[in-house]
């Protein structure tokens, strides 16, 4: 530690000089600007806030009141001012050799403003080792300045450069989430089993599944392998992805149809050879099973590539041109194709075709073969438009496409193949495509935009981009329409992309994905997990069906906002929810629903309405035997206001005496759950968070631990106690603001107040960006210890996206769909940098 402190002290002066001096952050204040809303009030000097050690005579002490000396702070830090302990003892502000933060209560200094950090040091640190007065006032200011000097500077001006033609995000590989894995196999194989629990669960960042930094270690790899073996065995037993008998040649259909869709791109020559070897070595179902296991374990399936190609190289390389039939073209089959779409050619195979030769036509046909007993390959002569084309030897079990130019205007309609078949040999032909010939040159992309890109930038190729759009908006692999667009210059320009985006959002999987976004965001899918179990002897109506319906209620409610043309704030303020018959009965609400799968809007509700009053939210954030007002308050701030509440300190000594007193009162049946938690957190060491940020929000106690509304509760002894549901929301615009608050009554009252706050809009922008890109839109949204801090360029580019999203939000009647669409359309999803 001493070496590290010395290093920091030696480099402090040039660091400060480069950043504009130690007072560069002095202007940062914890208090938001004056609030004009009539529903907000200012705490008087006689209130509890006036007794805080962070205020004198009712005047709040600010970091900006001091002239901080970072060098003195460095000395205090090196002296281990807290009785031999440093900040990192508990908070792990440094990283160890593995790149992980050490400490029992990890806090990222980059998440705190200067004022936040100053107050935290002065008021709360370290409660379990020495008195907070060990470092207050000038001491706290000096130490704050030191920490800010070596921590990444997150208060530098972040501003969108509107003159910059393109914005960028990082190149990366993303391991499929368990939902993406499941959905893909359902869509491509018709998988009916839920295999998500057979593989390792996802990492999470910003509430959303996110595997951008997930490693495939031995445990994860083994689980993928075991899952693939089980899926492959099931697939073959059920003729998936198509029937493959011992006499069938399944290679071509597997590669051209299934593997193409599974890998979300055309296969390379080497990849094709791998599957050709498998099908040549193992026949029928055995070959299919091995091919499936191989494909399902391939990184090409398990990872989404967002690496792209160097833009400068693309612009300098001319795409290869080739002749192809012009749409609309004619397609024909000869004979009776097998399950793979190929017809065996005996010595002669022919028939008439209904096509008028123009004199500038092209024939496209695929041929494949099986060699004779002595290894001899068959040969084929094709005749069309009255002309015999040169005889060719078909020397591959893999299909090969042949194209023939026809300049004749013959009226001959006969199309035929004459073959030479060595003993035991076979030859097969695909459907025949005939059309007017054109010289086709694939487009490189939107070249006007590409020429504006930086020299060190990359651009996702059409197949990578199709995968990004599909997994972002539908949670599954690209469908046939999207793959066709990727293969045929259909994803280059804004109009093309927007059409696909709108189509995907409106698809069944798109609607499913929008609901999933809410489940991720608010964490309400966890209501079906064991942590949300309750004693059914006490709560017999809290069944598995009810809990599943609660989780779906949140998803359906969010879909109603997205697709029902409702403004985003009605997710909080609305007097409606979505109900099926199961949940309507459980809540005791009259509903038009006629079954468990029939979801309808229930309007004009008195006690419910909005996400906060949903059964899933209230039951998820509760304990098995009682509600959890602390957890609820924290989740409201973090998930609905995007405010970060610091983790509690450990070993808080002054709580021990309180616990004895409060437990005695509780066991005597005198305390509601609210009273119990107010009592055990009424310690000086808890004030940093509980006095303003948490406890005043205990007014959501009108919903119990199974999501039912209540006005009373049973005490520890069974006594009926009245619920107190009045509350105060301090810091509506900034979590450390102790001067402004909004009164509310009950969960629904709080929800309606949340709907009015600018912070809920900001939170929508933050969560939507995370949902679309997987990244934090600003530095304070970075998941501590899970992802790197934003670079200056990223922060500024993401600010551009935020500005556009805010403008879209304002101009679209506060539409969630419009915000998500705007973000998906941004250049930074297509253009990348290292």
């Amino acid at each position: 530690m001493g070496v590290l402190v010395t290093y920091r002290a030696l480099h402090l002066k040039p660091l400060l000089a480069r950043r504009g001096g130690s007072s560069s952050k002095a202007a940062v204040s914890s208090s938001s600007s004056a609030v004009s809303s009539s529903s907000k009030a200012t705490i008087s000097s006689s209130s509890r806030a006036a007794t805080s050690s962070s205020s004198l005579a009712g005047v709040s002490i600010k970091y900006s009141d001091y002239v901080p000396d970072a060098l003195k702070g460095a000395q205090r830090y090196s002296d281990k001012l807290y009785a031999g302990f440093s900040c990192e003892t508990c908070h792990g502000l440094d990283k160890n050799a593995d790149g992980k933060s050490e400490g029992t209560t990890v806090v990222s200094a980059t998440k705190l403003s200067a004022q936040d950090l100053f107050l935290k040091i002065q008021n709360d640190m370290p409660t379990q080792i020495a008195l907070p007065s060990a470092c207050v006032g000038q001491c706290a200011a000096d130490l704050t300045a030191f920490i800010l000097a070596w921590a990444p500077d997150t208060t530098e001006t972040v501003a969108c450069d509107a003159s910059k033609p393109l914005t960028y995000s990082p190149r990366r590989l993303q391991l499929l989430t368990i939902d993406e894995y499941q959905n893909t196999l359902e869509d491509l194989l018709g998988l009916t089993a839920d295999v998500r629990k057979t593989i390792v669960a996802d990492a999470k960042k910003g509430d959303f599944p996110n595997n951008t930094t997930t490693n495939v270690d031995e445990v994860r790899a083994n689980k993928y392998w075991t899952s693939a073996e089980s899926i492959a065995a099931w697939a073959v037993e059920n003729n998936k992805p198509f029937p493959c008998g011992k006499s069938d040649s399944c290679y071509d259909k597997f590669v051209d149809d299934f593997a193409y869709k599974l890998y979300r791109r055309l296969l390379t020559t080497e990849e094709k050879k791998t599957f050709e070897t498998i099908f040549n070595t193992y026949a029928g179902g055995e070959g299919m099973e091995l091919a499936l296991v191989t494909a399902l374990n391939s990184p090409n399936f398990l990872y989404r590539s967002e690496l792209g190609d160097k833009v400068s190289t693309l612009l300098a390389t001319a795409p290869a041109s080739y002749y192809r039939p012009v749409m609309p073209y004619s397609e024909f089959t000869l004979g009776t194709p097998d399950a793979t779409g190929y017809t065996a050619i005996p010595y002669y195979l022919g028939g008439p075709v209904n096509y008028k030769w123009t004199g500038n036509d092209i024939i496209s046909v695929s041929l494949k073969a099986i060699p004779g007993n002595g290894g001899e390959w068959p040969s084929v002569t094709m005749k069309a438009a009255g002309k015999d084309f040169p005889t060719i030897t078909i020397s591959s079990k893999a299909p090969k496409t042949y194209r023939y130019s026809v300049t004749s205007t013959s009226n001959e309609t006969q199309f035929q193949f004459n073959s030479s078949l060595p003993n035991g040999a076979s030859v097969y032909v695909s459907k025949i495509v005939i059309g007017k010939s054109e010289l086709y040159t694939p487009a490189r992309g939107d070249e006007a935009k590409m020429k504006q890109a930086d020299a060190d930038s990359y651009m996702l190729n059409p197949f990578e981009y199709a995968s990004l759009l599909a997994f972002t908006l539908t949670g599954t692999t690209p469908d046939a329409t999207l793959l066709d667009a990727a293969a045929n210059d259909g994803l280059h320009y804004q109009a093309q992309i927007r059409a696909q985006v709108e189509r995907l959002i409106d698809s069944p999987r798109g609607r499913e994905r929008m609901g999933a976004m809410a489940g991720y965001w608010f964490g309400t899918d966890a209501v079906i997990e064991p942590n949300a179990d309750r004693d059914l002897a006490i709560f017999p109506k809290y069944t598995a069906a009810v809990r599943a319906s609660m989780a779906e209620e949140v998803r359906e409610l969010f879909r109603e906002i997205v697709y029902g043309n409702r403004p985003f704030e009605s997710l909080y303020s609305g007097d409606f929810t979505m109900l099926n018959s199961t949940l309507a009965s459980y809540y005791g609400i009259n509903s038009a629903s006629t079954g468990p799968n029939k979801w309808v809007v229930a309007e004009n509700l008195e006690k419910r309405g909005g996400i906060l009053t949903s059964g899933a939210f209230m039951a998820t954030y509760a304990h098995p035997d009682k509600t959890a007002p602390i957890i609820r308050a924290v989740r409201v701030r973090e998930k609905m206001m995007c405010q970060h509440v610091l983790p509690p300190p450990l070993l808080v000594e002054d709580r021990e005496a309180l616990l004895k007193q409060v437990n005695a009162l509780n066991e005597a049946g005198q305390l509601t759950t609210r009273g119990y938690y107010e009592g055990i957190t009424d310690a000086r060491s808890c004030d940093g968070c509980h006095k303003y940020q948490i406890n005043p929000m205990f007014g959501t106690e009108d919903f119990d631990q199974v999501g039912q509304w209540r006005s009373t509760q049973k005490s520890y002894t069974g006594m009926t106690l009245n619920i107190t549901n009045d509350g105060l929301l301090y810091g509506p615009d900034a979590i450390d603001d102790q001067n402004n608050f909004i009164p509310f009554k009950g969960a629904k009252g709080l929800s309606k107040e949340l709907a009015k706050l600018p912070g809920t809009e900001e939170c929508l922008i933050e969560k939507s960006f995370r949902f679309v890109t997987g990244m934090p839109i600003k530095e304070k949204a970075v998941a501590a210890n899970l992802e790197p801090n934003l670079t200056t360029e990223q922060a500024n580019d993401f600010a551009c996206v935020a500005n556009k999203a805010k403008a879209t939000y304002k101009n679209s009647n506060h539409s969630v769909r419009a915000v998500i669409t705007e973000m998906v359309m941004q250049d930074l999803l297509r253009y990348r940098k290292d």
Side-chain angles (χ1 to χ4, degrees):
M1 186 68 71
V3 174
L4 181 60
V5 172
T6 303
Y7 174 86
R8 286 175 175 161
L10 288 172
H11 289 74
L12 188 59
K13 289 184 177 178
L15 225 165
L16 294 173
R18 186 166 64 250
R19 294 171 45 183
S22 62
S23 61
S24 61
K25 298 192 178 186
V28 179
S29 169
S30 68
S31 297
S32 60
S33 57
V35 181
S36 59
S37 171
S38 60
S39 65
K40 297 183 180 180
T42 302
I43 306 174
S44 68
S45 59
S46 60
S47 71
R48 189 178 180 211
T51 66
S52 168
S53 64
S54 65
S55 58
L56 295 174
V59 179
S60 177
I61 295 179
K62 300 178 181 179
Y63 175 61
S64 56
D65 293 336
Y66 295 88
V67 179
D69 188 329
L71 287 174
K72 287 184 179 179
Q75 185 59 51
R76 292 179 183 276
Y77 189 91
S78 65
D79 289 343
K80 298 184 180 179
L81 60 113
Y82 290 132
F85 289 82
S86 72
C87 304
E88 291 158 63
T89 303
C90 290
H91 297 302
L93 299 179
D94 282 326
K95 294 182 183 294
N96 60 25
D98 297 326
K100 296 181 179 179
S101 289
E102 299 174 326
T104 56
T105 309
V106 176
V107 175
S108 173
T110 66
K111 299 298 182 71
L112 303 177
S113 68
Q115 178 70 9
D116 291 336
L117 188 56
F118 169 70
L119 290 177
K120 198 70 183 171
I121 294 170
Q122 172 166 281
N123 294 352
D124 305 324
M125 297 292 105
T127 56
Q128 68 272 35
I129 299 169
L131 294 175
S133 59
C135 188
V136 298
Q138 187 66 49
C139 171
D142 293 344
L143 191 58
T144 298
F146 169 62
I147 293 175
L148 292 175
W150 57 259
D153 188 352
T154 61
T155 59
E156 290 180 354
T157 301
V158 175
C160 168
D161 181 359
S163 66
K164 187 178 179 182
L166 297 177
T167 54
Y168 305 91
S169 59
R171 300 173 73 210
R172 62 191 178 183
L173 292 171
Q174 289 200 71
L175 191 68
L176 295 184
T177 68
I178 58 175
D179 285 343
E180 292 167 347
Y181 183 93
Q182 175 75 28
N183 293 342
T184 295
L185 296 178
E186 286 179 1
D187 292 343
L188 296 187
L189 282 176
L191 185 68
T192 55
D194 189 338
V195 299
R196 284 172 286 198
K197 291 187 177 180
T198 67
I199 57 179
V200 179
D202 302 318
K204 283 193 175 183
K205 297 181 180 70
D207 293 324
F208 295 93
N210 187 313
N211 292 329
T212 53
T213 56
T214 299
N215 294 322
V216 178
D217 56 15
E218 186 176 359
V219 172
R220 191 180 292 269
N222 287 339
K223 285 184 176 291
Y224 278 134
W225 185 270
T226 302
S227 177
E229 287 183 319
S230 175
I231 292 167
W234 171 88
V236 170
E237 185 178 344
N238 289 275
N239 291 322
K240 306 289 186 178
F242 54 86
C244 182
K246 288 187 177 181
S247 60
D248 294 332
S249 177
C250 305
Y251 159 80
D252 54 289
K253 189 172 178 65
F254 185 89
V255 168
D256 294 340
D257 187 10
F258 179 76
Y260 166 61
K261 294 175 182 175
L262 192 75
Y263 286 9
R264 306 175 288 275
R265 58 165 174 77
L266 299 170
L267 273 66
T268 66
T269 301
E270 288 301 314
E271 290 164 348
K272 289 181 179 180
K273 285 182 179 178
T274 297
F275 290 112
E276 183 179 8
T277 300
I278 290 173
F279 282 106
N280 284 345
T281 307
Y282 303 94
E286 189 177 7
M288 176 64 77
E289 187 168 345
L290 182 56
L292 283 170
V293 171
T294 301
L296 293 177
N297 279 289
S298 170
N300 299 291
F301 162 58
L302 294 173
Y303 281 91
R304 295 166 46 188
S305 171
E306 294 178 11
L307 298 176
D309 302 310
K310 198 74 172 283
V311 177
S312 58
T313 302
L314 291 173
L315 289 172
T317 306
S321 301
Y322 62 91
Y323 286 95
R324 70 175 187 178
V326 178
M327 291 284 287
Y329 46 72
S330 298
E331 296 183 338
F332 306 94
T333 57
L334 295 178
T336 304
D338 61 17
T340 68
Y342 280 78
T343 302
I345 302 176
Y347 292 104
Y348 166 84
L349 178 67
V353 296
N354 184 23
Y355 182 79
K356 183 175 179 60
W357 304 100
T358 68
N360 180 33
D361 302 301
I362 190 168
I363 300 171
S364 178
V365 61
S366 292
L367 297 163
K368 63 180 182 178
I370 295 175
N373 298 334
E376 312 94 331
W377 292 96
S379 60
V380 170
T381 303
M382 186 181 74
K383 183 175 182 178
K387 175 183 177 181
D388 286 336
F389 290 87
T391 299
I392 56 175
T393 298
I394 311 302
S395 58
S396 173
K397 293 182 180 181
K400 182 178 179 181
T401 299
Y402 299 86
R403 293 183 177 88
Y404 299 90
S405 178
V406 180
T407 57
S408 169
T409 57
S410 169
N411 292 324
E412 175 62 57
T413 62
Q414 186 71 13
F415 197 105
Q416 69 185 59
F417 291 96
N418 297 308
S419 62
S420 173
L421 296 175
N423 188 30
S426 301
V427 63
Y428 301 86
V429 61
S430 70
K431 64 183 176 183
I432 301 152
V433 179
I434 309 174
K436 186 176 180 180
S437 178
E438 72 166 355
L439 181 63
Y440 171 67
T441 303
R444 287 179 285 207
D446 185 344
E447 293 193 24
K449 182 174 288 188
M450 292 167 67
K451 289 175 181 177
Q452 296 178 316
D454 292 348
D456 60 344
S457 66
Y458 293 76
M459 183 178 74
L460 302 191
N461 68 48
F463 287 104
E464 289 175 318
Y465 192 49
S467 291
L468 182 148
L469 293 177
F471 284 114
T472 298
L473 297 174
T474 65
T476 189
T477 194
D479 61 11
T481 300
L482 195 55
L483 286 176
D484 184 66
N488 294 286
D489 299 339
L491 289 177
H492 292 321
Y493 303 98
Q494 290 293 92
Q496 296 173 322
I497 298 167
R498 185 173 290 276
Q500 292 292 341
V501 168
E502 297 288 356
R503 182 184 69 83
L504 293 173
I505 292 176
D506 285 327
S507 69
R509 281 292 194 195
R511 295 182 68 91
E512 184 180 294
R513 179 70 169 166
M514 290 300 105
M517 178 182 175
Y520 297 146
W521 178 352
F522 299 105
T524 47
D525 287 344
V527 73
I528 66 172
E529 299 298 329
N531 285 345
D533 289 349
R534 303 290 182 262
D535 187 341
L536 291 178
I538 301 174
F539 302 107
K541 295 182 179 180
Y542 185 69
T543 63
V546 164
R547 293 164 66 179
S549 296
M550 284 179 170
E552 185 61 24
E553 175 192 11
V554 172
R555 303 184 201 113
E556 290 287 346
L557 182 59
F558 196 70
R559 290 188 192 106
E560 175 64 18
I561 303 299
V562 174
Y563 295 98
N565 199 31
R566 294 183 188 258
F568 170 65
E569 61 267 24
S570 63
L571 181 65
Y572 300 103
S573 64
D575 294 320
F576 64 90
T577 191
M578 301 295 294
L579 297 177
N580 63 357
S581 59
T582 303
L583 213 51
S585 174
Y586 182 74
Y587 288 164
I589 296 174
N590 291 327
S591 166
S593 176
T594 56
N597 297 318
K598 177 70 173 178
W599 289 88
V600 298
V601 179
E603 301 271 13
N604 303 316
L605 302 180
E606 178 185 354
K607 298 170 183 175
R608 294 187 186 270
I611 182 72
L612 182 56
T613 67
S614 67
F617 192 90
M618 289 301 180
T620 296
Y621 303 120
H623 299 302
D625 59 337
K626 56 181 173 292
T627 57
I630 293 175
I631 296 175
R632 286 179 180 176
V634 171
R635 295 297 177 264
V636 167
R637 286 198 179 273
E638 292 189 331
K639 295 182 177 294
M640 300 181 183
M641 303 171 71
C642 288
Q643 295 180 347
H644 180 60
V645 180
L646 294 175
L650 301 178
L651 307 174
V652 183
E653 294 176 358
D654 56 350
R655 279 186 55 187
E656 296 303 316
L658 271 178
L659 277 172
K660 292 180 180 179
Q661 297 173 20
V662 173
N663 283 335
L665 291 172
N666 190 53
E667 291 169 6
Q670 298 180 32
L671 295 179
T672 61
T673 304
R674 175 175 185 166
Y676 174 80
Y677 282 105
E678 285 177 336
I680 66 172
T681 57
D682 191 25
R684 179 66 190 85
S685 57
C686 299
D687 278 355
C689 292
H690 284 273
K691 185 189 292 186
Y692 299 108
Q693 297 175 8
I694 297 176
N695 291 22
M697 294 177 65
F698 284 180
T700 61
E701 282 293 280
D702 47 354
F703 285 86
D704 66 14
Q705 61 264 44
V706 292
Q708 292 284 31
W709 185 88
R710 64 182 183 178
S711 60
T712 62
Q713 75 162 98
K714 296 292 185 181
S715 72
Y716 187 84
T717 60
M719 185 185 306
T720 299
L721 302 175
N722 290 327
I723 294 295
T724 303
N725 67 348
D726 56 308
L728 298 172
L729 174 60
Y730 281 91
D733 299 319
I735 192 169
D736 58 320
D737 178 4
Q738 300 175 0
N739 295 319
N740 297 297
F741 64 86
I742 302 173
F744 66 89
K745 197 169 186 65
K748 190 169 182 179
L750 174 58
S751 195
K752 286 186 176 294
E753 295 301 334
L754 291 173
K756 304 172 187 177
L757 300 179
T760 55
E761 173 191 341
E762 295 283 342
C763 202
L764 169 66
I765 303 299
E766 178 179 319
K767 295 299 183 181
S768 296
F769 189 80
R770 179 69 80 168
F771 172 74
V772 168
T773 71
M775 295 193 65
I777 198 167
K778 56 187 177 182
E779 188 60 44
K780 284 195 174 182
V782 171
N785 307 314
L786 296 177
E787 57 190 347
N789 294 308
L790 299 179
T791 66
T792 300
E793 182 179 25
Q794 289 168 355
N796 292 337
D797 283 355
F798 296 176
C800 291
V801 177
N803 290 347
K804 291 176 182 177
K806 291 173 185 176
T808 297
Y809 182 80
K810 180 180 179 181
N811 297 327
S812 64
N813 188 33
H814 299 182
S815 166
V816 175
R817 175 173 178 150
V819 168
I820 292 173
T821 300
E822 179 67 33
M823 287 187 174
V824 173
M825 295 297 297
Q826 293 303 302
D827 292 326
L828 57 74
L829 264 71
R830 190 72 178 266
Y831 289 86
R832 303 301 180 100
K833 285 188 178 182
D834 286 322

